[in-house]
């Protein structure tokens, strides 16, 4: 029996994975929601219950859409209505969760993010824990003392890890003094729920698209500089930047030039699907990265991606097959890649076909990924029994 403890942030990758996993293994999904994190992708809970605790999924009508992907009888919600980690209601919810996990006698507790302060009591079960690290190394814009403390506690008290890219494997082991035998490799698949979402289409179409949270490590300023060069050669080229976050540079010159359309706000799944559907392709001009949910969102709708040669991104985007790879922080190289795809409609069509084939049928499919997870669970269970 596996307890898969996750958060709303990862629902877009959790749902297709769990859909396959629950057909192959006894997996119980446990979703932890709080006042700070209750509206993300597939999870939208306008109001939490007043009392903290562990509830059945059926007790939350706003979450019944998840039953499309997972077995609702094996899905629970940790309701944390307090305003901070040490709120009595949140601490009570953690106690209820700890009792729930102990009573069910799960063989493995699978986490998808390092536990925060208030959830540290769960490390009492650390001998049976497995942690998926979406970010083996912290992003430059998120490298804070609090986050690093949570990470270091997790690295010390968790015996097994799953990394979703190979390029950061050695650096992760060295930074946190992790042994090779503690680490397993996997990857992300497409965020297929977007295919079932009715898109809210924007007014623009046939544009170059940046989508997702705006942070300093995302390189949006580099993309705007690149599009300035593109616009000189291709005056009709348009750029859409859509997503929430603080704009850390002046976008006025690019907007006044008429080729930048900015939507600086939180996007619903319908809007996300609409922006991707109307785009020619997606650009991820990141300065540093691990994996990218944006790439998996684009691939779900068969849109090629131009991205930078950082982190695990080249493992997700095969250069010339699924998109193009360029050096980071290089506006000229990025502009050249954008122009190449804008002027090569046949290449875009071929890339779309490659994405559909590789991510739906081959090694990148969720079925193959779930197979690997089951093997990891079996290995941990058998090695623990010895």
């Amino acid at each position: 029996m596996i307890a898969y403890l996750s958060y709303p942030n990862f629902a877009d990758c959790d749902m297709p994975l769990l859909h396959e996993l629950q057909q192959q293994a006894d997996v119980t999904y446990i979703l932890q929601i709080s006042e700070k994190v209750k509206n993300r992708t597939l999870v939208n809970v306008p109001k939490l219950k007043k009392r903290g605790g562990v509830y059945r999924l059926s007790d939350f009508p706003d979450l019944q859409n998840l039953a499309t992907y997972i077995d609702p009888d094996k899905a629970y919600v940790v309701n944390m209505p307090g305003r901070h980690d040490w709120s009595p209601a949140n601490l009570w919810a953690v106690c209820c969760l700890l009792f729930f996990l102990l009573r069910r006698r799960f063989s493995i507790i699978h986490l998808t993010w390092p536990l925060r302060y208030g959830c540290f009591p769960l490390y009492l079960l650390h001998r049976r824990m497995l942690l998926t690290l979406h970010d083996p190394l912290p992003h430059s814009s998120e490298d804070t003392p609090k986050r690093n403390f949570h990470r270091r506690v997790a690295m010390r008290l968790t015996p097994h890890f799953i990394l979703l890219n190979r390029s950061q494997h050695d650096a992760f082991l060295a930074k946190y003094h992790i042994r090779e035998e503690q680490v397993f490799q996997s990857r992300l698949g497409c965020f297929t729920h977007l295919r079932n979402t009715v898109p809210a289409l924007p007014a623009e179409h046939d544009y170059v698209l940046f989508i997702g949270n705006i942070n300093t490590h995302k390189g949006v300023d580099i993309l705007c500089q690149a599009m300035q060069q593109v616009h000189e050669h291709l005056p009709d080229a348009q750029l859409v930047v859509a997503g929430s976050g603080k704009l850390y540079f002046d976008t006025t010159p690019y907007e006044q030039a008429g080729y930048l359309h900015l939507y600086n706000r939180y996007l619903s799944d319908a809007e996300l699907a609409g922006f991707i559907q109307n785009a020619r392709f997606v650009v991820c001009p990141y300065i540093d990265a691990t994996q990218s949910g944006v790439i998996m969102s684009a691939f779900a709708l068969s849109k090629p991606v131009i991205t930078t040669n950082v982190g695990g991104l080249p493992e997700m985007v095969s250069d010339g097959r699924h998109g193009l790879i360029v050096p980071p922080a290089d506006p000229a190289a990025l502009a050249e890649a954008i122009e190449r795809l804008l002027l090569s409609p046949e290449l875009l069509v071929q890339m779309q076909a490659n994405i559909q084939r590789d991510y739906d049928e081959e090694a990148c499919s969720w079925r193959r990924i779930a197979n690997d997870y089951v093997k990891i669970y079996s290995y941990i269970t058998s090695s623990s029994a010895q």
Side-chain angles (χ1 to χ4, degrees), residues 135-351:
D135 298 328
L137 303 174
H139 295 301
S140 57
S141 64
E142 300 172 349
D143 196 359
T144 64
K146 180 184 286 188
R147 285 176 178 267
N148 285 333
F149 176 71
H150 293 154
R151 291 175 65 88
R152 291 192 178 278
V153 172
M155 304 315 155
R156 192 73 176 269
L157 297 180
T158 308
H160 306 287
F161 305 91
I162 293 178
L163 303 187
L164 301 178
N165 72 69
R166 297 183 181 278
S167 61
Q168 295 177 318
H169 176 274
D170 293 346
F172 168 71
L173 266 60
K175 181 177 178 66
Y176 296 107
H177 307 289
I178 305 295
R179 300 188 309 278
E180 178 77 34
E181 59 269 22
Q182 292 179 260
V183 179
F184 304 93
Q185 291 291 156
S186 186
R187 65 183 306 144
L188 285 177
C190 289
F191 293 173
T192 50
H193 73 282
L194 291 175
R195 298 172 183 171
N196 303 320
T197 301
V198 178
L201 299 174
E204 297 81 15
H205 57 85
D206 292 334
Y207 45 77
V208 176
L209 175 65
F210 172 94
I211 199 162
N213 292 333
I214 299 173
N215 293 307
T216 54
H217 74 272
K218 294 291 186 73
V220 183
D221 55 332
I222 305 296
L223 174 57
C224 288
Q225 293 172 37
M227 281 300 297
Q228 188 173 34
Q229 299 178 44
V230 172
H231 197 252
E232 293 175 358
H233 301 145
L234 302 172
D236 293 333
Q238 299 290 301
L239 170 64
V240 168
V241 172
S244 61
K246 183 178 180 180
L247 289 167
Y248 56 92
F249 65 101
D250 185 9
T251 62
T252 304
Y254 309 111
E255 292 182 88
Q256 290 180 343
Y259 58 83
L260 172 60
H261 306 273
L262 182 63
Y263 297 82
N264 186 208
R265 55 179 170 76
Y266 172 78
L267 303 176
S268 67
D269 279 354
E271 291 176 307
L272 177 64
F275 277 116
I276 294 173
Q277 182 170 311
N278 268 10
R280 295 286 293 278
F281 51 86
V282 174
V283 181
C284 296
Y286 303 163
I287 307 301
D288 62 73
T290 49
Q291 298 77 233
S292 171
V294 170
I295 294 175
M296 293 297 95
S297 297
F299 283 2
L301 300 178
S302 302
K303 292 294 180 178
V305 174
I306 297 175
T307 191
T308 49
N309 188 18
V310 295
L313 303 188
E315 298 176 32
M316 305 173 81
V317 180
S318 178
D319 188 33
R321 182 170 179 82
H322 306 135
L324 299 175
I325 307 292
V326 300
D330 189 336
L334 182 56
E336 182 180 348
I338 291 172
E339 289 184 29
R340 180 184 173 190
L341 289 192
L342 287 175
L343 294 172
S344 306
E346 300 86 359
L347 179 58
L348 282 174
V349 170
Q350 184 58 56
M351 287 178 172

